[in-house]
Amino acid sequence: MERVLKDDAVQEKGERARMASFIGAMAIADLIKTTLGPKGMDKILQSTGRGRNVTVTNDGATILKSLHIDNPAAKVLVDISKVQDDEVGDGTTSVVVLAGELLKEAEKLVNMKIHPMTIIAGYRMALECARDTLLQKTMDNKENTDKFRTDLMNIAMTTLSSKILSQDKEYFAELAVDAVLRLKGSTNLESIQILKKPGGSLKDSFLDEGFILDKKIGIGQPKRIENAKILVANTAMDTDKVADIEAAEKQKMREKVQKIIGHGINCFVNRQLIYNFPEELFADAGILAIEHADFEGIERLALVTGGEIASTFDNPESVKLGHCKVIEEIMIGEDRLIHFSGVAMGQACTIVLRGASEHVLDEAERSLHDALCVLSQTVNDTRVLFGGGWPEMVMAKEVDELARKTPGKKSHAIDAFSRALQAIPTIIADNAGLDSAELISQLRAEHHKENCTAGIDVITGSVGDMQKLGIQESFKVKQAILLSATEAAEMILRVDEIITCAPRRREDRM
């Protein structure tokens, strides 16, 4: 075999390859484990590139995205956390921790000389059992709007309680629920804009109905327009300065401006610069001209006001204009912004975040984005579960019973799956500095009673009633965690050889 591969290729077989996979995956899980739960800690990520950017976060996906990882198995875990983030928005840490625990248990079984395929078969059975259990235990209040809103509030508060916004979680949960209910069931978060403005405290954040563009109104232009007709464009509005050309250019620009005014608009938003000359022409016509609106800004503005981005102005009838009731200038902190209210797309809104520094604002935005994602998924799939380690204990109990009924070596794997599930409440308790062994054994005893709603109450440090405390999670998030973690663990378990290829050498071209 040595002759087949090129000189620098490295090959690890059998036990060594499996060890390398297990160790890499478990190292990643251990790294991120401390950020789990309401008392999880944050990590500081510092880039070594220009500017040495610093990120302070406890969002699993953000941490793993920023790491450059060499170990192939660890990369699989980074991928599942990314997918979890894109798919449901929350549970990015849990999914990696669960996969890590499943592998930790699998390693013990492999050392007992149980074949990886047997372990995978056992995990598959356990997964089916756990998923069915969850399905039976879900609650659904979509018929009753008040109850459903309470569910959404609880889910938002549970999601936010492990983030930087945990101090004001009622306030931000209210913001997030209001924003998501305006979407009326769509999961497109494009129409919820999040603006970050340093200054003030997090409590000063607010939800604004309408759209806010981070631009100033030009000189000599109307400061307030009612019943606005808006043309959103991406076109060059600059003229040449050379003397002979200037007159011709000015004439050309004047014609262009006339064409634009001919659309019967009173507000013109352009992505590119607008020079002084066309700006004067617009001001004379009483049209508000906004230049250099960044691309995300104009894309979203077009979407929200119901217009389209235009770049040619020859046939006005084919251009779709945007509409809104009032455009005016507002002040937030020290900055002036342009506020579009009464927009065509009723579900649009802007959440303005205030905070002490850029880092706080970035983390607040990530936290809020997680909450918005989870809520928009829950509005579509209205099933909810209790939180605080309750679902894991319920699943572990059923999986345990399945292990007792199953003959053969598979039962060891099923048993291992149940231990891995219990690791999540254990870690939540450990992160809060509680005695996890004591708490988990109490929880297990509680869960042998009928219709138990017990979970870990991190605040009082004891077993609490999740129904009274209102700690709830979305079923969709839990299901995604379960499926992704098990599949990732399976994939890593199947490995028995790692071949690292040699890079192509550059020939000396001298």
Side-chain angles (χ1 to χ4, degrees):
M1 188 65 189
E2 294 308 315
R3 290 285 168 81
V4 177
L5 299 176
K6 275 197 165 174
D7 303 343
D8 293 353
V10 187
Q11 195 183 13
E12 292 177 8
K13 282 191 174 167
E15 277 307 298
R16 284 199 55 190
R18 201 165 283 126
M19 276 303 292
S21 304
F22 283 158
I23 288 172
M26 288 190 294
I28 287 288
D30 284 343
L31 165 83
I32 208 171
K33 199 186 267 182
T34 52
T35 66
L36 189 68
K39 299 265 184 183
M41 305 304 274
D42 290 11
K43 307 259 183 261
I44 288 186
L45 311 168
Q46 185 175 17
S47 75
T48 48
R50 290 207 347 249
R52 302 235 161 204
N53 293 333
V54 174
T55 314
V56 184
T57 180
N58 73 357
D59 179 42
T62 311
I63 296 170
L64 293 181
K65 245 187 284 188
S66 318
L67 300 178
H68 293 286
I69 293 168
D70 222 13
N71 184 300
K75 282 190 177 154
V76 174
L77 293 195
V78 174
D79 272 358
I80 57 169
S81 87
K82 265 190 201 154
V83 169
Q84 181 79 10
D85 197 29
D86 299 340
E87 193 61 31
V88 283
D90 197 24
T92 48
T93 311
S94 313
V95 72
V96 176
V97 171
L98 184 56
E101 289 297 330
L102 287 170
L103 288 169
K104 206 174 269 180
E105 294 294 339
E107 186 190 19
K108 294 177 197 163
L109 297 176
V110 170
N111 293 341
M112 285 161 56
K113 299 279 177 279
I114 296 178
H115 192 277
M117 285 301 159
T118 315
I119 300 176
I120 287 176
Y123 276 4
R124 277 279 159 98
M125 288 169 67
L127 175 66
E128 283 304 307
C129 167
R131 195 175 159 191
D132 294 343
T133 311
L134 269 193
L135 275 168
Q136 286 159 15
K137 299 275 185 184
T138 55
M139 298 163 289
D140 197 342
N141 286 330
K142 68 168 176 243
E143 306 307 323
N144 182 339
T145 40
D146 293 345
K147 264 193 177 161
F148 183 51
R149 192 186 159 92
T150 315
D151 280 355
L152 286 180
M153 280 294 291
N154 286 341
I155 288 173
M157 290 200 297
T158 307
T159 301
L160 293 173
S161 60
S162 61
K163 309 268 195 278
I164 194 170
L165 302 176
S166 60
Q167 302 309 315
D168 312 314
K169 61 183 179 191
E170 284 96 2
Y171 184 69
F172 281 101
E174 190 79 45
L175 281 190
V177 172
D178 283 344
V180 169
L181 287 177
R182 294 174 69 99
L183 292 178
K184 302 187 176 57
S186 96
T187 51
N188 178 14
L189 297 177
E190 286 280 295
S191 51
I192 299 179
Q193 182 199 16
I194 299 182
L195 255 193
K196 298 178 294 196
K197 283 282 165 206
S201 69
L202 284 168
K203 255 289 170 54
D204 299 335
S205 309
F206 61 91
L207 178 99
D208 192 292
E209 305 184 355
F211 181 84
I212 297 179
L213 194 63
D214 197 349
K215 288 282 153 217
K216 294 186 178 67
I217 289 182
I219 299 162
Q221 295 177 351
K223 292 277 188 263
R224 179 187 164 96
I225 292 179
E226 293 185 10
N227 296 333
K229 296 187 185 63
I230 306 161
L231 176 61
V232 185
N234 182 5
T235 182
M237 300 293 285
D238 43 2
T239 52
D240 245 320
K241 286 283 187 291
V242 189
D244 301 340
I245 309 176
E246 195 176 5
E249 285 266 330
K250 270 192 166 175
Q251 189 50 40
K252 214 164 114 192
M253 183 53 70
R254 192 174 269 122
E255 283 163 17
K256 188 170 185 179
V257 172
Q258 287 308 325
K259 273 184 197 162
I260 292 173
I261 295 173
H263 287 60
I265 56 168
N266 46 17
C267 174
F268 176 67
V269 183
N270 192 16
R271 186 184 166 216
Q272 301 177 26
L273 274 172
I274 301 178
Y275 266 39
N276 295 353
F277 177 62
E279 195 172 31
E280 280 170 29
L281 296 178
F282 282 126
D284 292 344
I287 289 178
L288 168 60
I290 303 166
E291 62 175 4
H292 244 235
D294 55 343
F295 199 64
E296 261 191 10
I298 72 163
E299 287 259 301
R300 203 176 258 146
L301 181 63
L303 173 89
V304 165
T305 55
E308 279 171 8
I309 298 177
S311 44
T312 55
F313 310 104
D314 292 331
N315 31 2
E317 59 283 345
S318 67
V319 176
K320 218 172 141 193
L321 297 180
H323 294 279
C324 83
K325 290 212 176 83
V326 180
I327 302 179
E328 57 192 340
E329 198 172 44
I330 56 169
M331 294 280 288
I332 296 177
E334 301 286 297
D335 300 338
R336 293 180 177 184
L337 305 133
I338 304 174
H339 180 234
F340 297 78
S341 53
V343 289
M345 189 172 172
Q347 52 258 58
C349 60
T350 300
I351 296 176
V352 179
L353 289 178
R354 307 298 310 276
S357 73
E358 291 288 344
H359 302 132
V360 174
L361 286 174
D362 288 345
E363 179 61 359
E365 180 185 25
R366 276 191 289 274
S367 313
L368 198 60
H369 183 260
D370 280 6
L372 292 173
C373 285
V374 176
L375 290 174
S376 66
Q377 296 290 345
T378 315
V379 170
N380 279 353
D381 183 345
T382 50
R383 292 170 291 183
V384 293
L385 299 158
F386 292 117
W390 175 85
E392 284 80 9
M393 294 308 286
V394 171
M395 291 189 280
K397 178 187 160 198
E398 293 297 325
V399 172
D400 251 349
E401 280 172 16
L402 175 71
R404 295 207 187 97
K405 294 177 201 154
T406 312
K409 283 184 177 173
K410 276 186 203 164
S411 62
H412 289 295
I414 299 175
D415 201 27
F417 195 92
S418 136
R419 282 199 299 278
L421 281 172
Q422 286 176 23
I424 288 197
T426 310
I427 293 167
I428 292 177
D430 280 340
N431 285 346
L434 306 172
D435 180 355
S436 57
E438 172 71 19
L439 267 178
I440 300 301
S441 49
Q442 281 181 15
L443 251 187
R444 201 180 303 133
E446 281 288 324
H447 272 269
H448 275 280
K449 301 174 187 165
E450 281 298 302
N451 293 335
C452 161
T453 55
I456 295 177
D457 178 4
V458 201
I459 312 301
T460 61
S462 58
V463 174
D465 181 350
M466 295 293 118
Q467 196 162 10
K468 281 199 190 101
L469 293 168
I471 296 176
Q472 289 179 318
E473 295 185 67
S474 164
F475 166 74
K476 199 163 179 185
V477 174
K478 268 286 172 259
Q479 175 176 288
I481 291 174
L482 198 63
L483 298 177
S484 309
T486 313
E487 281 172 13
E490 269 181 31
M491 193 167 156
I492 295 171
L493 262 176
R494 287 173 186 268
V495 173
D496 76 328
E497 190 165 344
I498 299 175
I499 301 170
T500 315
C501 298
R504 285 223 323 254
R505 288 238 175 96
R506 291 185 174 179
E507 292 86 19
D508 290 327
R509 295 230 170 90
M510 296 299 283

